[in-house]
Amino acid sequence: LIHFPRCWPDVCDREPEGTWQESWRAMEEAFDKGYVRAIGVSNFMVAELSELLRMARIKPDVVQNWFDPFHQEPALRRFCSRHQIAFQAYSVLGSQYLAQGWKYNPVLENSTLRRIARRHSTSVAQVVLQWATSKDI
């Protein structure tokens, strides 16, 4: 996977040595040589994926993005579905919020999700994972 299509100051401490487009070309070459069986991207949005599809010889197999009950990316998921690209979620249980410096996890500590979990004698995590699975994630 190409992890990010851009560098953010809090992620990169120096300018990248190339572009994500150059990285994609290198990944296509690795695919052609049989070094990898699948290639994809992470943290790309619809505009970047559109550009990728215009320039790529090989369509990405997967797009991996942040997805939880409060961050669902419907346009991105529709785009992936329309282009037959698998959408893979990360941070379904809300760890992304903690990584961003939140003091609590708004997914696992949500009162509505807690009430649903109690009603079904299960955990909030199980409720959220079932919900994500029901979305074909």
Side-chain angles (χ1 to χ4, degrees), residues 104-121:
Y104 70 100
N105 183 324
V107 174
L108 297 181
E109 297 182 34
N110 179 270
S111 62
T112 300
L113 292 172
R114 284 181 172 193
R115 191 169 47 255
I116 293 168
R118 273 193 308 274
R119 185 177 324 130
H120 294 281
S121 300

Side-chain angles (χ1 to χ4, degrees), residues 76-121:
L76 179 61
R77 290 179 24 242
R78 280 191 303 274
F79 183 92
C80 289
S81 177
R82 194 168 44 249
H83 293 281
Q84 298 178 319
I85 302 169
F87 180 90
Q88 182 182 55
Y90 71 77
S91 190
V92 176
L93 299 178
S95 61
Q96 188 68 19
Y97 296 99
L98 300 175
Q100 292 178 5
W102 288 51
K103 301 290 184 215
Y104 70 100
N105 183 324
V107 174
L108 297 181
E109 297 182 34
N110 179 270
S111 62
T112 300
L113 292 172
R114 284 181 172 193
R115 191 169 47 255
I116 293 168
R118 273 193 308 274
R119 185 177 324 130
H120 294 281
S121 300

